[in-house]
Amino acid sequence: MHLSTKELGNLMTMLKEESVASTSFENIGAELQKVGFTKQDHFRVGSALVFLLQNHDHLPGSHQRLAAIYLLYDMYKSDPTASNPFAGVFVHLLQNSASSNSETIGGKITPISSSEKMFLSQLISLPNKELFKCTPKQILTTDGDSGSQPPKSVYDVSGLQLSLVERQSQIPVISKTSIPCVLPHIEQSLLQKGDQPMDGKPVQQQVLEAMLCGKTAPISENLRPSFIRPVPLLHSSSNEMVWMNPTNPVRHKFAWDAAMTKNSNKTGEAKKLMQKAFKSTLTNSQQQQLQTQLNEDSKLIYHIGLTPAKLPDLVENNPLVAIEVLLLLMPSNQITEYFSVLVNMEMSLHSMEVVNRLTTAVELPTEFIHLYISNCISTCETIKDKYMQNRLVRLVCVFLQSLIRNRIINVKDLFIEVQAFCIEFSRIREAAGLFRLLKSLDSAEMEPSKK
């Protein structure tokens, strides 16, 4: 972050009080490029400007200070304000009053006036071309010392503060615990204008070069506390480590869980069978082995790799296993996720078999059954292949007849939808049979009402 002697000289020439007072801000920003500073130099220049603001005896003029603040903004004006590496300076300047000692980046900055705050607030919130055409002298002559103070909302930097806090939270705490290597003298500046050392350079210039120039410049250094901790003893004797043989007189007894490895073996075997069940059909003996292990330990179902996303593969390859595991998952709060997958998976003989067996074994939610039936009817209506369409219609009709005869569903709830389905596919014998069943049930309900 150090500057060369030439760069420092160019910067300080730019910031002369008599030069910047009547120069527009846009020309001040352009002058930075003219003297040779590129975009790659902006952070070094910004660090030097913050150092000058912190040590105000090196930048005593109010016009100089305002120009320095503008340059901190101008160098990063194309980026969001929160991304500006010197955004913390803006927050401190807008929040601190003339009666407080505002501190930032480890040093102190002289509080700015209300007109300067107004200018800075506009810079970081609503910048415009007219503002850039103003000069530091014009800004300072509009000082709000007449009694009319701008509302506090003008200086609201809560959003910017939040962004800075989020960014600083990622910095290690030890990196934020430091103080600068350069501290101002508690008394009035000891630098006297006109003091000429033997080499011909003013004292102020000599001090600035010592602080800002060269690879060992203290501007880039901070004093941090050392992370001190006691070194643990490695050995209590020549061949024994302390923590291997505690000196505590209490005798601890080790307890071995004999069933631990046994359960682990069972889990491993069940997991292997379940992984195979997702990809291919299990043999009868393998199905029996998996079902026996699941029945012996009901919690095993949560540790064998079954997820809602894998349920369709299990249903298509091993519908009987799918029925067993879904029955075991009924008490789980995740069962609705499995039902949702089952409802929305591609309709097939195996999926209808699973749903049909579940309806006879447990009481399923009515909404789930109705949604599954609607999905089946919709699939039959949209399929293009006539052969597959006829096959699926027969399966759906047989499935619906089973649900109706076993009183799983109340036909009144789906009467219109199922009747329209039967009429559309009346050419198929099973659909005609389902239609006659609907009519017989409707007639049976109408006869008692006539009596």
Side-chain angles (χ1 to χ4, degrees):
M1 291 192 294
H2 62 276
L3 299 176
S4 66
T5 305
K6 182 180 179 181
E7 289 173 334
L8 177 61
N10 291 336
L11 182 62
M12 296 308 296
T13 300
M14 267 186 58
L15 294 175
K16 283 185 177 180
E17 179 76 1
E18 58 273 15
S19 299
V20 296
S22 301
T23 305
S24 66
F25 289 105
E26 59 183 3
N27 288 337
I28 292 173
E31 185 66 21
L32 189 68
Q33 295 181 354
K34 288 181 182 179
V35 297
F37 290 111
T38 64
K39 190 173 184 179
Q40 288 73 23
D41 302 322
H42 285 177
F43 187 73
R44 294 190 299 116
V45 174
S47 300
L49 290 173
V50 173
F51 176 84
L52 293 172
L53 289 170
Q54 290 171 334
N55 299 273
H56 53 85
D57 50 353
H58 293 293
L59 204 66
S62 55
H63 300 104
Q64 292 177 297
R65 184 172 65 247
L66 201 55
I69 293 171
Y70 173 77
L71 287 175
L72 291 177
Y73 160 81
D74 183 67
M75 289 188 294
Y76 295 93
K77 65 182 178 182
S78 59
D79 301 326
T81 305
S83 301
N84 189 319
F86 307 105
V89 176
F90 303 149
V91 172
H92 282 281
L93 288 172
L94 290 173
Q95 284 190 329
N96 290 279
S97 62
S99 60
S100 65
N101 291 324
S102 57
E103 298 184 8
T104 179
I105 318 179
K108 297 181 180 180
I109 293 181
T110 303
I112 58 178
S113 64
S114 59
S115 58
E116 291 174 288
K117 285 186 178 183
M118 180 70 75
F119 171 75
L120 178 56
S121 180
Q122 286 182 280
L123 271 185
I124 64 176
S125 58
L126 296 171
N128 57 76
K129 293 182 180 180
E130 295 300 321
L131 185 67
F132 299 151
K133 292 179 180 179
C134 295
T135 65
K137 188 175 183 179
Q138 290 174 327
I139 295 298
L140 293 175
T141 54
T142 59
D143 199 349
D145 293 334
S146 58
S148 58
Q149 295 293 331
K152 291 184 178 180
S153 58
V154 174
Y155 309 141
D156 184 15
V157 289
S158 56
L160 180 58
Q161 270 187 300
L162 181 60
S163 300
L164 292 176
V165 168
E166 290 176 353
R167 191 172 66 185
Q168 291 175 358
S169 64
Q170 302 173 3
I171 302 174
V173 177
I174 192 68
S175 299
K176 295 183 288 185
T177 309
S178 61
I179 60 173
C181 288
V182 180
L183 296 175
H185 199 280
I186 57 174
E187 298 178 3
Q188 190 66 24
S189 173
L190 299 179
L191 300 177
Q192 300 294 328
K193 292 183 179 180
D195 280 355
Q196 298 288 334
M198 293 182 64
D199 59 2
K201 288 183 180 179
V203 173
Q204 186 177 30
Q205 182 181 346
Q206 194 176 35
V207 171
L208 284 177
E209 288 180 1
M211 297 294 100
L212 299 173
C213 300
K215 294 183 179 180
T216 59
I219 179 180
S220 59
E221 298 295 332
N222 284 324
L223 295 175
R224 294 185 175 90
S226 300
F227 186 64
I228 302 175
R229 59 178 179 177
V231 179
L233 296 174
L234 291 179
H235 299 89
S236 60
S237 63
S238 59
N239 58 358
E240 289 182 326
M241 289 188 288
V242 171
W243 50 83
M244 294 295 290
N245 294 283
T247 57
N248 194 328
V250 179
R251 297 289 180 179
H252 299 282
K253 293 183 179 180
F254 294 97
W256 180 258
D257 184 2
M260 183 170 58
T261 55
K262 186 177 179 182
N263 292 339
S264 178
N265 292 337
K266 280 188 176 182
T267 303
E269 293 173 5
K271 192 171 184 178
K272 288 180 181 179
L273 289 174
M274 183 58 72
Q275 293 300 319
K276 187 177 181 181
F278 296 142
K279 301 175 182 177
S280 60
T281 304
L282 300 180
T283 63
N284 291 335
S285 60
Q286 289 174 331
Q287 288 187 31
Q288 187 63 38
Q289 180 184 356
L290 180 58
Q291 291 175 12
T292 301
Q293 291 179 352
L294 292 175
N295 291 331
E296 288 179 355
D297 184 2
S298 59
K299 294 183 179 179
L300 192 61
I301 189 64
Y302 303 105
H303 305 287
I304 56 177
L306 177 63
T307 62
K310 294 181 179 179
L311 181 61
D313 294 332
L314 183 62
V315 169
E316 292 302 324
N317 291 299
N318 295 277
L320 296 179
V321 176
I323 294 167
E324 292 296 326
V325 297
L326 287 172
L327 290 174
L328 290 172
L329 286 168
M330 287 300 293
S332 169
N333 56 7
Q334 295 181 333
I335 189 62
T336 53
E337 297 181 31
Y338 289 94
F339 282 162
S340 177
V341 171
L342 190 60
V343 166
N344 294 292
M345 70 176 287
E346 186 177 350
M347 190 192 75
S348 65
L349 173 62
H350 286 169
S351 70
M352 282 192 285
E353 180 183 2
V354 170
V355 174
N356 192 33
R357 290 281 295 273
L358 285 175
T359 56
T360 58
V362 294
E363 185 176 352
L364 295 179
T366 305
E367 297 81 2
F368 161 72
I369 301 175
H370 288 178
L371 187 57
Y372 184 75
I373 293 172
S374 297
N375 184 39
C376 290
I377 292 175
S378 176
T379 303
C380 292
E381 292 173 345
T382 56
I383 193 168
K384 301 295 183 182
D385 190 323
K386 287 294 181 184
Y387 172 77
M388 287 300 300
Q389 186 183 58
N390 294 342
R391 183 170 180 270
L392 290 178
V393 168
R394 293 188 181 97
L395 290 175
V396 172
C397 290
V398 173
F399 172 64
L400 289 174
Q401 288 184 44
S402 174
L403 293 180
I404 293 171
R405 289 196 174 98
N406 291 322
R407 301 181 183 277
I408 302 300
I409 61 171
N410 187 349
V411 74
K412 289 182 180 180
D413 299 332
L414 297 167
F415 186 83
I416 296 175
E417 187 177 4
V418 175
Q419 181 178 251
F421 170 73
C422 294
I423 293 173
E424 182 179 357
F425 298 102
S426 57
R427 67 181 186 277
I428 299 173
R429 183 179 59 186
E430 287 79 5
L434 178 59
F435 185 76
R436 288 193 295 271
L437 177 60
L438 293 176
K439 285 299 181 183
S440 65
L441 292 173
D442 189 40
S443 300
E445 291 180 359
M446 290 295 292
E447 285 180 3
S449 63
K450 289 180 182 181
K451 294 179 181 180

